Amino acid sequence: MLFSLGWSCSPNVQISLFSRELMLCAVSVISILRVLGAKPVRKQLCINRTHSPLCCSMASPKRLQGLIAATITPMTPDGEINLSVIGQYVDYLVKEQGVKNVFVNGTTGEGLALSTQERKQLAEEWVTKGKNKLDHVIIHVGALSLPEAKELAKHAAAIGASGIAGIAPFFFKPTNKDTLVAFLREVASEAPGIPFYYYHIPPLTGVKIRVEELLDGIKEQIPTFQGVKFSDTDLLDFAQCVKNHKEQFVLLYGVDEHLLSALAMGASGAVGSTYNYLGKKNNLMLEAFAKQDLTLAQQYQFCTGEFLSFVFKLGFGVAQTKAVMTFTSGIPMGPPRLPLLSASVDFIEKAKAKMASLIL
């Protein structure tokens, strides 16, 4: 059995799915056992027609796939958003990292720490500066307040974003699938002409409704539903999504250090912060995987893992990501917004030396 791999870098490469089918079969058995109570062993765009000068600027017939950079929000030293460097940022991603898709105002972008107006300004700047350079600009519009999320969704559609994404509300949490779908449906309804993606990140939201369950019948509830950003390490859930919904939805993996595992499962693409500064190496991993060179693909994954393992031990989060992007790209990303604190000088020196030591 042959399968035409969807990565844009190697569209004609075919690989055998036999081993992956065996793995997915095993995953299905495990899923059934879980339902029975067994304990796990622990060892296409229709553009919104407005009079906005930005409308239609990001229309793209291309399927969302490959690497998507979770963008950082540049800030001035006094904590204001710094829109002046977005154009330089776009050029750096495209020319230096080979990344032509972005996910704006998500976790890495401190989206939920920004005001509604700031989020709109950033969305507009990314759409404007990305015109004719980026393939997709996905705007995260999730918020704790439903009216705010709807307002951001409507705005994203009006300025010509490629699509929108929404996180589950996580102070007053949805407790079941129906409640979550009802919330997401309200948000997506404000942008009926562009794709909607669910942003699944239970380690931060605490909303642990399984994506496999969520996807079942969701297209009837949300006609614009296009896929998921899956930021969790539950590969059992992810594999069931691939097995049952790969043909219908875009399944984007969001844990950078596990990307190769997700590729083996059948991920459509990946959204992550490291693709801002390690995009080139990860693109080479995708190419190696598409060519069935697993040994080379592993080397690139190990390279990313080596860096992340090192910085995780030092303490790594959004603030440290901004520091890494600053010294890697030369573009000033500035400080994070409180309650996050800036990376220390010690961290920056050690991380910079480690980055320079990476062989691949």
Side-chain angles (χ1 to χ4, degrees):
M1 176 185 259
L2 294 175
F3 171 73
S4 180
L5 192 64
W7 302 107
S8 57
C9 57
S10 303
N12 298 318
V13 177
Q14 292 188 324
I15 62 172
S16 169
L17 272 186
F18 181 69
S19 60
R20 201 181 78 186
E21 291 296 329
L22 286 177
M23 177 167 53
L24 291 179
C25 181
V27 166
S28 297
V29 172
I30 295 171
S31 183
I32 293 170
L33 290 174
R34 175 180 284 181
V35 171
L36 294 175
K39 294 183 179 180
V41 178
R42 293 206 177 269
K43 193 176 174 185
Q44 51 296 72
L45 301 187
C46 174
I47 300 300
N48 184 4
R49 302 199 178 275
T50 74
H51 297 292
S52 167
L54 299 178
C55 184
C56 307
S57 62
M58 287 307 303
S60 174
K62 297 181 180 179
R63 181 179 174 87
L64 183 58
Q65 59 187 11
L67 298 183
I68 301 111
T71 61
I72 297 159
T73 295
M75 292 186 180
T76 63
D78 60 355
E80 298 298 318
I81 60 172
N82 184 6
L83 300 176
S84 68
V85 301
I86 300 297
Q88 184 182 358
Y89 195 164
V90 170
D91 289 340
Y92 174 80
L93 288 176
V94 174
K95 296 176 182 178
E96 300 299 325
Q97 299 298 334
V99 175
K100 300 186 71 175
N101 306 298
V102 294
F103 187 92
V104 179
N105 290 337
T107 304
T108 300
E110 302 173 82
L112 291 167
L114 304 174
S115 70
T116 301
Q117 185 58 31
E118 287 174 325
R119 292 176 71 171
K120 288 182 178 180
Q121 289 176 313
L122 282 160
E124 290 171 9
E125 196 69 11
W126 275 100
V127 169
T128 300
K129 292 300 191 293
K131 185 178 181 181
N132 299 323
K133 294 181 178 180
L134 298 174
D135 290 337
H136 295 271
V137 175
I138 307 301
I139 307 298
H140 175 243
V141 300
L144 298 183
S145 160
L146 180 57
E148 180 183 353
K150 292 173 69 172
E151 180 182 346
L152 289 168
K154 186 175 183 178
H155 173 264
I159 65 173
S162 310
I164 58 173
I167 201 171
F170 54 87
F171 188 81
F172 297 113
K173 298 180 179 67
T175 56
N176 55 53
K177 170 187 171 177
D178 291 342
T179 308
L180 176 57
V181 170
F183 183 92
L184 299 178
R185 182 174 61 239
E186 287 289 313
V187 177
S189 69
E190 295 296 320
I194 60 176
F196 177 84
Y197 302 88
Y198 172 52
Y199 181 8
H200 178 64
I201 184 166
L204 290 184
T205 64
V207 177
K208 299 180 180 180
I209 297 166
R210 292 176 65 77
V211 179
E212 174 196 1
E213 177 187 358
L214 180 72
L215 294 183
D216 188 22
I218 198 168
K219 197 74 173 178
E220 288 71 33
Q221 296 289 325
I222 306 175
T224 57
F225 192 93
Q226 190 85 1
V228 178
K229 177 189 175 187
F230 192 103
S231 295
D232 191 26
T233 56
D234 186 352
L235 287 176
L236 172 61
D237 188 17
F238 186 74
Q240 290 301 101
C241 294
V242 172
K243 180 176 181 293
N244 298 319
H245 302 285
K246 176 71 181 288
E247 298 305 315
Q248 187 176 15
F249 299 125
V250 173
L251 300 171
L252 307 169
Y253 198 64
V255 184
D256 304 10
E257 59 270 30
H258 295 170
L259 176 55
L260 186 55
S261 299
L263 294 181
M265 289 290 185
S268 308
V271 184
S273 60
T274 64
Y275 312 139
N276 285 288
Y277 52 86
L278 289 173
K280 184 181 295 184
K281 289 181 172 58
N282 279 279
N283 270 321
L284 290 171
M285 181 176 72
L286 300 190
E287 292 180 10
F289 182 80
K291 294 175 181 177
Q292 303 182 60
D293 190 343
L294 184 57
T295 299
L296 182 58
Q298 285 176 328
Q299 290 176 11
Y300 283 114
Q301 181 69 89
F302 292 158
C303 182
T304 298
E306 180 182 347
F307 178 74
L308 291 176
S309 179
F310 179 82
V311 294
F312 284 164
K313 293 172 184 175
L314 299 176
F316 191 67
V318 171
Q320 291 71 29
T321 297
K322 298 185 93 164
V324 171
M325 184 60 173
T326 296
F327 71 65
T328 303
S329 68
I331 305 170
M333 291 295 150
R337 182 160 287 178
L338 287 169
L340 302 180
L341 300 176
S342 296
S344 67
V345 173
D346 180 64
F347 171 87
I348 294 171
E349 291 177 349
K350 291 179 178 178
K352 190 172 184 179
K354 185 62 178 179
M355 180 70 77
S357 74
L358 296 180
I359 297 174
L360 289 177

